[in-house]
Amino acid sequence: MTSLAANNVLPLRIGDVMRIFNYADDVNATPSIVLSTVILEKLLDVFSLAVLFVTTMQFGVGVSAHVKEVAEIGLAISVMGLLVMVFGARTLQAPLEKLFAKTANEKLKKVEHWVTLALDCIRQIGVAGTLMLVFYSAVAWVCECLMYVSIAKAIGLNSAAVGPWQSTAEANLSFLIPSSPGGIGPFELACEDAMTRAGSGAAVSAIYGLLVHVWLIAGITLVGGAMFLAHRAHMARRRPLLEEIETLPVELP
């Protein structure tokens, strides 16, 4: 939650970086293991949202054949990436080691170390574990879709039933791209685009996107911020913040 809150107030999705380095000890893991979970989480998010986006595109109105084709290509790429990471994690290690062995660049050696550890962690999760995560990811996104539907009904938005569902997929796919803090701008534009295609007016669709985003930012930032302050207070009793910053690792273990 604290990393999600940080993404809402800091640019370039810095919260994900904070999760890797600042909270690994709290979950009794190394930064490399947390990195692998972040990679897998992003792959699962893209997969779930791509499935939702392609599905809603089939029922949406005013969707061009080109947009549908791009959405289907994106889904295929996300599926391939997920399959390669899950089923090919062990196979990928040897070729990557040979590739990195051709260079003496120290920075690339560090990248090799990070990638190898991340692949090893994903391999240990296994196929059964990954399928379970896919299911949990789908349930989580359906719950978020229902929130979009509820807000649309609360303000009496006149649109096709598929509109809020397509808005969820398009807005969150835009939020995955590093941008302004909280994805302010791209998020609202994506919501407006989806709801306009679903039959709503441009003005009311823009207001809808703004309301959804304010609700998400306020809720996540308040809860995540409170958890961050509680965590800092707990850490301060053990070690001052400045001292902790000085001892942060310069590279992933």
Side-chain angles (χ1 to χ4, degrees):
M1 286 299 296
T2 58
S3 66
L4 294 176
N7 283 336
N8 285 339
V9 297
L10 298 173
L12 303 176
R13 301 191 65 83
I14 297 299
D16 294 332
V17 179
M18 289 176 56
R19 193 193 322 176
I20 295 169
F21 288 101
N22 289 26
Y23 298 103
D25 290 341
D26 295 317
V27 294
N28 196 28
T30 65
S32 298
I33 291 177
V34 178
L35 172 64
S36 67
T37 64
V38 171
I39 294 173
L40 188 56
E41 175 194 326
K42 299 308 175 188
L43 283 172
L44 289 171
D45 284 345
V46 171
F47 171 73
S48 299
L49 291 170
V51 169
L52 178 61
F53 192 54
V54 170
T55 303
T56 55
M57 281 288 183
Q58 308 308 315
F59 301 98
V61 294
V63 181
S64 68
H66 176 69
V67 172
K68 288 183 179 180
E69 183 179 354
V70 171
E72 289 167 357
I73 292 173
L75 175 59
I77 292 174
S78 68
V79 170
M80 289 177 59
L82 194 59
L83 290 175
V84 168
M85 290 298 291
V86 174
F87 293 100
R90 184 191 300 272
T91 308
L92 285 173
Q93 286 186 357
L96 284 174
E97 288 174 358
K98 291 181 180 179
L99 179 63
F100 283 112
K102 297 178 181 179
T103 178
N105 189 298
E106 288 299 323
K107 291 184 178 180
L108 289 179
K109 290 291 185 181
K110 293 178 182 178
V111 172
E112 177 196 4
H113 182 64
W114 302 341
V115 171
T116 300
L117 290 175
L119 287 174
D120 184 62
C121 181
I122 291 174
R123 179 183 59 79
Q124 292 181 39
I125 292 175
V127 177
T130 302
L131 290 176
M132 182 179 65
L133 291 175
V134 169
F135 173 75
Y136 288 155
S137 178
V139 170
W141 284 114
V142 167
C143 290
E144 180 151 341
C145 284
L146 293 176
M147 184 197 69
Y148 282 66
V149 172
S150 299
I151 293 177
K153 290 184 177 298
I155 64 175
L157 194 62
N158 184 22
S159 70
V162 75
W165 296 80
Q166 191 174 115
S167 179
T168 305
E170 190 169 341
N172 283 283
L173 283 172
S174 73
F175 186 57
L176 290 174
I177 303 172
S179 60
S180 58
I184 297 173
F187 187 98
E188 286 81 3
L189 183 62
C191 276
E192 179 185 351
D193 179 63
M195 297 305 292
T196 302
R197 284 201 306 270
S200 297
V204 70
S205 296
I207 294 173
Y208 169 76
L210 182 61
L211 286 174
V212 171
H213 207 181
V214 167
W215 178 261
L216 287 172
I217 287 180
I220 293 174
T221 304
L222 286 174
V223 174
M227 294 177 70
F228 172 78
L229 293 175
H231 180 265
R232 293 295 352 140
H234 173 70
M235 293 298 294
R237 289 194 292 268
R238 296 190 301 170
R239 183 167 49 174
L241 177 60
L242 291 178
E243 181 182 335
E244 181 183 355
I245 292 175
E246 292 176 356
T247 58
L248 284 175
V250 296
E251 62 183 47
L252 290 171

